[in-house]
Amino acid sequence: MTMGFSGEVAAYYAKYRRGYSSQVLDVLQAALELDANDVVLDLGCGTGQLAIPLASRVRSVIGMDPEADMLRLAKESAAREPAQNVTWVLGSDADVPDLGTLLGKNSLALTVIGNAIHWMDYRDLFVELRPLCRARGGVAVIANGTPLWLQDSDWSRALLGSLERHYGRKLEATCGTGTHDRIRYAQALHEAGFEDVQEVVIEQRDELSFDQIIGGVYSAMPVDELPEPGDRADLTERVRQELGPQTVFVEDIRVSVLVGRVE
Ligand SMILES: C[S@@+](CC[C@H](N)C(=O)[O-])C[C@H]1O[C@@H](n2cnc3c(N)ncnc32)[C@H](O)[C@@H]1O
């Protein structure tokens, strides 16, 4: 099944998407009391941004994603790390009931969903996950910042203008990162029987190069909207012109970790 994160988009994702700081991993570890006996599911694992660093903190991680190209690159990254305890599984949120039958009740310390919940039928998913959680385990829904073109900075507004001219339409989708999205997910966790639902926010700052910005943009385009190489070079050049002569772009990143736990 391809969802748009295939081919060159997957390659841009692996190369340019920001990973998660140790602070974020510490929050997950503390909130769900993760230890070396635990099994974690990273649903919508992409190229392994969470699955790989989590692997050193638990017994085993299942990295699950419906996009074969993302999984292939995740596997390649894991081979370069001490992360041999990740099992990569081709599947989506719709496959969680079958995974649950395989694993059994109370088997997962944590299901983490990073920048991927907006693709999922999250209400049904949370209900399916609830009985799979071990005691004091749960679900973490993470938003790793705001899309590069929707931020409160001059360069981000210039980027938005450039991309909207390119697409000929408004780009407003927040991809699950907006305040309203977070409230919806928190409510759904609560309704599915998770207790103690809370949001931990981690503020970070990064300095991006132009290549990181444009690479990040291409990592977020559906593969059928990624321009052909010649047109891509033109678009890259237009964006470069419109962002101006600066070479360093400061990004203030708000990482939201929404955690629902069971007793
Ligand atoms: C933006 S990437 C996030 C990757 C990684 N978790 C991260 O935090 O960077 C979204 C991922 O969700 C996957 N995805 C799309 N639809 C999905 C679904 N219904 N169930 C599970 N994963 C899905 C995509 O293939 C893609 O790899």
Side-chain angles (χ1 to χ4, degrees):
M1 189 198 314
T2 112
M3 310 292 298
F5 285 93
S6 60
E8 284 186 282
V9 170
Y12 279 114
Y13 206 100
K15 184 162 181 197
Y16 290 107
R17 272 304 175 106
R18 184 197 332 286
Y20 294 83
S21 65
S22 54
Q23 220 185 328
V24 175
L25 300 165
D26 290 347
V27 165
L28 294 175
Q29 183 153 22
L32 288 314
E33 301 173 29
L34 299 181
D35 68 28
N37 296 313
D38 282 327
V39 178
V40 168
L41 169 64
D42 177 3
L43 186 59
C45 64
T47 52
Q49 278 77 2
L50 280 161
I52 292 172
L54 272 171
S56 63
R57 298 178 183 234
V58 295
R59 175 160 62 89
S60 178
V61 176
I62 301 163
M64 189 160 168
D65 198 285
E67 183 47 70
D69 287 341
M70 296 293 259
L71 284 181
R72 178 176 48 77
L73 293 172
K75 210 168 175 172
E76 284 176 18
S77 295
R80 294 190 290 269
E81 306 277 337
Q84 306 318 306
N85 53 338
V86 187
T87 304
W88 303 102
V89 177
L90 189 72
S92 74
D93 60 321
D95 298 301
V96 166
D98 288 344
L99 185 71
T101 305
L102 174 70
L103 296 173
K105 287 189 175 163
N106 312 321
S107 50
L108 293 172
L110 164 67
T111 297
V112 66
I113 302 162
N115 275 13
I117 190 77
H118 56 297
W119 299 104
M120 302 179 194
D121 193 346
Y122 62 91
R123 287 196 176 84
D124 288 352
L125 173 66
F126 295 159
V127 170
E128 291 291 343
L129 287 173
R130 172 75 182 68
L132 304 183
C133 300
R134 68 128 163 82
R136 295 188 305 288
V139 172
V141 180
I142 307 186
N144 197 13
T146 306
L148 288 168
W149 53 92
L150 292 181
Q151 300 181 12
D152 183 18
S153 67
D154 290 342
W155 64 259
S156 179
R157 281 182 282 275
L159 179 62
L160 177 65
S162 249
L163 295 176
E164 287 188 341
R165 274 188 288 285
H166 168 74
Y167 280 111
R169 63 171 194 263
K170 290 266 171 219
L171 296 182
E172 291 166 329
T174 51
C175 305
T177 65
T179 309
H180 287 99
D181 302 319
R182 312 304 293 163
I183 291 170
R184 271 192 298 129
Y185 302 142
Q187 237 156 19
L189 280 169
H190 186 72
E191 282 162 16
F194 288 90
E195 287 149 35
D196 196 18
V197 178
Q198 47 181 287
E199 183 186 39
V200 180
V201 173
I202 298 151
E203 305 274 0
Q204 299 172 188
R205 174 166 280 202
D206 200 0
E207 292 187 349
L208 305 181
S209 65
F210 178 77
D211 282 356
Q212 286 173 304
I213 289 183
I214 202 73
V217 166
Y218 293 146
S219 81
M221 281 189 177
V223 71
D224 56 352
E225 292 190 7
L226 190 68
E228 292 299 315
D231 295 338
R232 205 179 312 158
D234 291 345
L235 175 60
T236 300
E237 197 42 43
R238 274 202 306 281
V239 174
R240 191 193 294 274
Q241 296 294 329
E242 293 182 31
L243 262 57
Q246 72 195 85
T247 52
V248 173
F249 302 84
V250 175
E251 182 183 11
D252 285 312
I253 306 147
R254 184 180 190 277
V255 183
S256 159
V257 184
L258 195 61
V259 180
R261 296 196 316 162
V262 302
E263 281 304 301

